[in-house]
Amino acid sequence: MSISSRSAVAIHALTMLARWEERTLTSGEIADSLESNPVLVRRILGSLRDADLAHSTEGRGGGWRLARPPRSITLYDAYAAVETGPVLAGHPHPPSRECEVGRNIQALLEDEFREAQRAMEERLGRTTIADLVNRVLEKERELNLQR
């Protein structure tokens, strides 16, 4: 089980925008931090814009900013902005009705997966982008003390 990388990219981008809230960031700057392609980052940023989590300005000095304060954006907000379906999915085709496991497993898994999805969404809803910025800064302080 894994969330697609879109969620990780979205959360990374929002955390960067919050960390350097006083200025705009370009998709290239965010892509450099991700060591990724700016086109991928622009697609993700577009989804974040559509969800009213980020906005952009064009022209000289343009770039991306948060649309809301970082303390009001949760990891679930980022997840919901970029993911199109559940993290866990059932069989790609119906299992055998001739087998006792096959006859029953789909309904059992649907219940389990629905509950797991709910728990994940609830957990992501407890952490804000501001929380992540604080944790990033804490980790940086720890690294600087070790040097």
Side-chain angles (χ1 to χ4, degrees), residues 14 17-19 21 52-55 65-74 77 128-131 133:
L14 290 169
L17 294 173
R19 170 63 181 96
E21 211 174 359
D52 292 325
L53 300 176
H55 63 85
R65 289 180 164 270
L66 291 179
R68 301 187 339 222
R71 70 183 176 283
S72 74
I73 301 171
T74 67
D77 295 328
T128 68
I129 295 299
D131 294 333
V133 169

Side-chain angles (χ1 to χ4, degrees), residues 30-74:
I30 297 168
D32 286 347
S33 177
L34 284 157
E35 293 192 356
S36 184
N37 186 318
V39 173
L40 166 72
V41 172
R42 279 192 290 278
R43 275 192 219 124
I44 297 293
L45 288 167
S47 294
L48 296 174
R49 179 185 52 227
D50 294 345
D52 292 325
L53 300 176
H55 63 85
S56 63
T57 54
E58 294 183 18
R60 188 175 192 85
W64 291 88
R65 289 180 164 270
L66 291 179
R68 301 187 339 222
R71 70 183 176 283
S72 74
I73 301 171
T74 67

